[in-house]
C-alpha cells in the first residue's frame, strides 16, 4: 500500500476508533453493583449529622434583587433542617431562609416581610425564591444528596473514570408535569466525590446544573467518627430556563458534626 492510500484510510480508522471509544465509554452496572454505588454515596450523607459553613455568593441573572454579591452562613441538621442567611455590605442582613422538611420560611429583615410555603410548590412569589432554590440545589450537592425517586428506579453506568446515575424525580408518570425532571448525577469513580448534578427534562435539555470543585478533607469532630469527609469548597448552580440566573458559592470553611 502506498503512502497516499494509507493517508486516505486514516480518517476511516480514526472514525472507527472514535466510535468504539464512544460505545465503550459507558457501560451499565449489574443490579447489585448499582446499589453498592448508591450506598457509598449515601454513607457520606449519613455521616454528616450537622454542618455549618461560611460562604461568599456571586449571583447573576435578570431580576436579581439587592446586590449581586453576598456573604452568607449555612447551617444544616440531618435529615432536612436548613438555615441560610445572606448579608451585603457592612453586614446588613438581606435574607433569612429556614427549611424544616417540606415547609419553609423566607424572611426579609430590611422589609419586615416574611413569606412561607412548601418546597414542592413551583410558583415563585418573591425575587429571592429563584436564588434560594438554586442555593438549596447547590447545598444538596455539597451533602452528596441525590434527589428524586426511589433508589430502585436508579440506573447506573460506569466509564473508566466516572459513574453516571440517572434517577427520575417522579417515577410514577401518571401525574407528570413540565416541572418533572430526570436527575443525572456524575460521580468520580475513584474518590466517590460528586462532580455534577443535572436536572433534565430530556436527554439534551438541561434545566439546572450544579458543578462541584475544589474538594478538601474536613475533619469530623465527634468521637464516633475519626475519618474526615471530603466536601467541595466551590459549587456553581446554573438555571438554563428563560428566567436564567446562576449562583456560585465559594465556601471559606465547613464544620461537621460540631457539638451544639
Amino acid at each position: 500500500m502506498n503512502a497516499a492510500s494509507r493517508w486516505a484510510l486514516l480518517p476511516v480508522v480514526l472514525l472507527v476508533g472514535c466510535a468504539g471509544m464512544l460505545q465503550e465509554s459507558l457501560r451499565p452496572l449489574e443490579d447489585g453493583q448499582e446499589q453498592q454505588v448508591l450506598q457509598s454515596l449515601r454513607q457520606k450523607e449519613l455521616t454528616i449529622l450537622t454542618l455549618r459553613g461560611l460562604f461568599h455568593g456571586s449571583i447573576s441573572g435578570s431580576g436579581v434583587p439587592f446586590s449581586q454579591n453576598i456573604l452568607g452562613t449555612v447551617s444544616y441538621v440531618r435529615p432536612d433542617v436548613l438555615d441560610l442567611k445572606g448579608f451585603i455590605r457592612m453586614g446588613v442582613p438581606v435574607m433569612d431562609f429556614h427549611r424544616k422538611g417540606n415547609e419553609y420560611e423566607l424572611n426579609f429583615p430590611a422589609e419586615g416581610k416574611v413569606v412561607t410555603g412548601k418546597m414542592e410548590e413551583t410558583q415563585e412569589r418573591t425575587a429571592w425564591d429563584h436564588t434560594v432554590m438554586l442555593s438549596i440545589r447547590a447545598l444538596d450537592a455539597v451533602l452528596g444528596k441525590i434527589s428524586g425517586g426511589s433508589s430502585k428506579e436508579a440506573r447506573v453506568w460506569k466509564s473508566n473514570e466516572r459513574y453516571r446515575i440517572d434517577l427520575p424525580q417522579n417515577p410514577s408518570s401518571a401525574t407528570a408535569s413540565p416541572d418533572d425532571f430526570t436527575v443525572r448525577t456524575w460521580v468520580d469513580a475513584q474518590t466517590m466525590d460528586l462532580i455534577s448534578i443535572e436536572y433534565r427534562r430530556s436527554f439534551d435539555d438541561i434545566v439546572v446544573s450544579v458543578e462541584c470543585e475544589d474538594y478538601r478533607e474536613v475533619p469530623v469532630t465527634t468521637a464516633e467518627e475519626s475519618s474526615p469527609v471530603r466536601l467541595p469548597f466551590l459549587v456553581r448552580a446554573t438555571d438554563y430556563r428563560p428566567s436564567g440566573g446562576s449562583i456560585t458559592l465559594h465556601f471559606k470553611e465547613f464544620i461537621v458534626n460540631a457539638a451544639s
Side-chain angles (χ1 to χ4, degrees):
M1 182 182 293
N2 59 33
S5 300
R6 287 196 296 270
W7 282 108
L9 285 174
L10 183 57
V12 177
V13 173
L14 288 175
L15 286 173
V16 171
C18 290
M21 285 190 296
L22 290 173
Q23 290 173 359
E24 297 175 1
S25 60
L26 286 169
R27 58 186 182 277
L29 297 184
E30 302 294 334
D31 290 341
Q33 293 176 317
E34 286 185 349
Q35 293 305 314
Q36 289 176 9
V37 172
L38 294 172
Q39 185 59 36
S40 295
L41 287 174
R42 290 200 177 92
Q43 190 59 46
K44 182 174 78 170
E45 180 189 345
L46 293 174
T47 299
I48 302 175
L49 303 176
T50 66
L51 181 144
R52 296 202 302 266
L54 303 176
F55 65 85
H56 170 265
S58 302
I59 306 169
S60 65
S62 59
V64 173
F66 303 108
S67 171
Q68 288 191 340
N69 295 286
I70 63 171
L71 299 175
T73 64
V74 56
S75 174
Y76 165 81
V77 179
R78 189 167 66 85
D80 232 359
V81 177
L82 177 68
D83 287 285
L84 282 173
K85 298 181 186 292
F87 308 87
I88 54 173
R89 294 178 298 274
M90 306 298 293
V92 177
V94 294
M95 178 191 74
D96 190 344
F97 173 83
H98 175 74
R99 178 185 76 181
K100 185 175 183 179
N102 191 41
E103 308 284 335
Y104 75 85
E105 179 178 286
L106 184 56
N107 180 24
F108 300 95
E111 304 175 26
K113 180 180 178 181
V114 177
V115 178
T116 60
K118 297 181 181 298
M119 295 301 300
E120 62 190 15
E121 296 172 350
T122 57
Q123 182 180 4
E124 295 178 4
R125 291 177 291 174
T126 75
W128 276 100
D129 283 2
H130 196 66
T131 301
V132 167
M133 292 307 296
L134 280 178
S135 301
I136 290 172
R137 295 201 190 281
L139 289 168
D140 279 350
V142 169
L143 297 167
K145 286 190 174 185
I146 302 180
S147 60
S150 165
S151 62
K152 294 180 180 178
E153 302 291 329
R155 295 294 177 265
V156 184
W157 287 263
K158 185 180 185 296
S159 68
N160 291 333
E161 298 180 352
R162 300 189 297 175
Y163 291 108
R164 192 188 89 187
I165 304 168
D166 285 355
L167 188 61
Q169 195 169 44
N170 286 300
S172 56
S173 57
T175 58
S177 77
D179 292 307
D180 294 341
F181 306 120
T182 293
V183 183
R184 174 168 293 176
T185 305
W186 294 93
V187 178
D188 187 289
Q190 297 297 321
T191 63
M192 296 304 294
D193 292 336
L194 194 152
I195 301 170
S196 68
I197 305 177
E198 300 163 355
Y199 298 83
R200 293 169 169 258
R201 284 208 185 99
S202 64
F203 183 80
D204 59 351
D205 184 12
I206 300 177
V207 178
V208 175
S209 70
V210 182
E211 300 168 282
C212 299
E213 302 175 21
D214 191 16
Y215 269 87
R216 308 179 196 174
E217 290 190 346
V218 178
V220 177
T221 58
T222 59
E224 292 82 2
E225 181 64 53
S226 57
S227 62
V229 295
R230 285 171 55 86
L231 298 176
F233 277 67
L234 174 58
V235 184
R236 182 181 300 103
T238 306
D239 194 318
Y240 295 99
R241 287 173 287 192
S243 53
S246 68
I247 180 166
T248 301
L249 303 179
H250 296 264
F251 289 95
K252 298 181 179 180
E253 64 178 71
F254 284 116
I255 301 175
V256 178
N257 295 355
S260 58

